[in-house]
Every structure is written in C-alpha cells, then in structure tokens.
Amino acid sequence: MMRFISILFVLIASADAFTSIPQRRAQPFVRLNAAGPVVKEDSVGNNVDVMAFLDEVESSGLLSKLAQSKLLSKAQDAGVSLSSLTPLLKLAVDNPDVLVLTEAAAPELLPLLSLLVTLAPPALPLLALTISLPPAVFLGAAAASVGATVGALNIIPDDTIAEVAGQTLIVGILGLAVPVLSVVAFGVISTLTAEK
C-alpha cells in the first residue's frame, strides 16, 4: 500500500510540473520611499507615474513637434552645443544639495512634467525665437518692464480696491516676474552662447 501511495505521489508531482502556472497581471502596489512620499510601482519595480508620463510624451508627439520647430538647429546656429552645457553641469556638481532636493521632490514634480508636456508644443516656436535673440535683449526687456511698472503705478490711481488690486497685479507680473525671467534668460543664453 505504501508503494502505491509513493508511486501515486510521484505521478501527481511530475504531472504538476508540466502544467502551466496561471500568470497574474502586474498590479501596481504602493511602497513608502525613504524620503516619505509614496511611490507607485508595478511588480517589476517600475514607477507607474514615470511610465504614464513617458506614454504621454510619446502620444503627444512632442519630439516630432520639436523637430518641426527646428529649435535644435536654431540653438546650434546661436552657438549652443552640448559642450556649452558644461558650466551648468559644473554648477550642479558644485551644489550637490540641489540634486538631493530634486531627487526627493521627484514624485511631486511628475504632475508638473505632465503639464509641461501639454504646454510645450505651443511654446516651441517661442523658444526657437528666444534662442536666436541676443542676450542683451533680455536685459532691455527687464528694464522696460520695470519702467512700465513705475509708469503704471504713477498713472493708475489707488482710490478703489479694484485699482489697488490692478496695481498689485501689475507689480507682480511686470515688476517682478518679467524682470526675473528676463535676467534668468539673459544668464542662461549668455552662458550657453559664450565663445570659448
């Protein structure tokens, strides 16, 4: 009897070895990151949000639109090359805290990257124009913006709440945002197009 049970056990075990194991679909699961934010991963370990972002980039045709805008050709004509990015890379190496902060903020930045992919195609012609302008134009734009702010504050009375709100909006946009962005654009473009 014991021999019969042993043979039956061997036959069942060997038959089970030839059957297929049902495959489960990869379900995303949530893992806590050491920095605290929640990271969604599939069973292989891929970040689900990053995969969705890359799918969105592919479906939007962003790289094709980048090629159609000829932004890279205009950047090359303006003197921007991969070797001109070296000072920016050195800046990142000299400030490792920035890289750590960027890595820690990565899960929170993914929705912003998705918004960037949505807004990028209409902005590509503007970027192509921007890269072809001389850097001094941006300093002139910053000065003109500050001048427009001063003029608007002198012209617009501050008698009502709506007028004060309008002045505040003008100061925020023309007095702060535009000059800061212009000076940053001046710095970046002058660094990228600097002659070696």
Side-chain angles (χ1 to χ4, degrees), residues 78-80 84 88 127 129-136 138 182-195:
V80 177
S84 65
L88 297 176
L127 289 173
L129 174 67
T130 302
I131 196 72
S132 62
L133 293 174
F138 297 104
S182 297
V183 169
V184 167
F186 167 78
V188 169
I189 291 178
S190 61
T191 300
L192 293 177
T193 59
E195 295 295 325

Side-chain angles (χ1 to χ4, degrees), residues 31-53:
R31 172 179 64 86
L32 283 179
N33 195 356
V38 175
V39 178
K40 296 178 187 173
E41 294 180 346
D42 62 6
S43 63
V44 181
N46 297 322
N47 188 323
V48 174
D49 293 334
V50 171
M51 291 181 354
F53 168 71

Side-chain angles (χ1 to χ4, degrees), residues 6 15 22 27 31 33 38 78 80 90-91 95 101 111 118 124 143 149 154 160-161 170 175 184 189 191:
S6 298
Q27 296 293 326
R31 172 179 64 86
N33 195 356
V38 175
V80 177
K90 287 180 182 175
L91 182 67
N95 299 310
L101 291 174
T118 306
L124 288 175
T149 302
N154 287 327
T160 65
I161 294 175
I170 288 171
V184 167
I189 291 178
T191 300

Side-chain angles (χ1 to χ4, degrees), residues 90-182:
K90 287 180 182 175
L91 182 67
V93 168
D94 293 340
N95 299 310
D97 296 340
V98 173
L99 295 176
V100 171
L101 291 174
T102 304
E103 182 181 358
E108 289 83 12
L109 291 178
L110 284 174
L112 295 176
L113 290 177
S114 178
L115 177 66
L116 182 66
V117 167
T118 306
L119 297 177
L124 288 175
L126 181 63
L127 289 173
L129 174 67
T130 302
I131 196 72
S132 62
L133 293 174
V137 170
F138 297 104
L139 287 181
S145 180
V146 170
T149 302
V150 170
L153 290 177
N154 287 327
I155 292 172
I156 299 172
D158 51 354
D159 298 334
T160 65
I161 294 175
E163 291 170 341
V164 172
Q167 287 178 345
T168 305
L169 182 65
I170 288 171
V171 167
I173 294 173
L174 292 178
L176 294 175
V178 172
V180 167
L181 291 175
S182 297

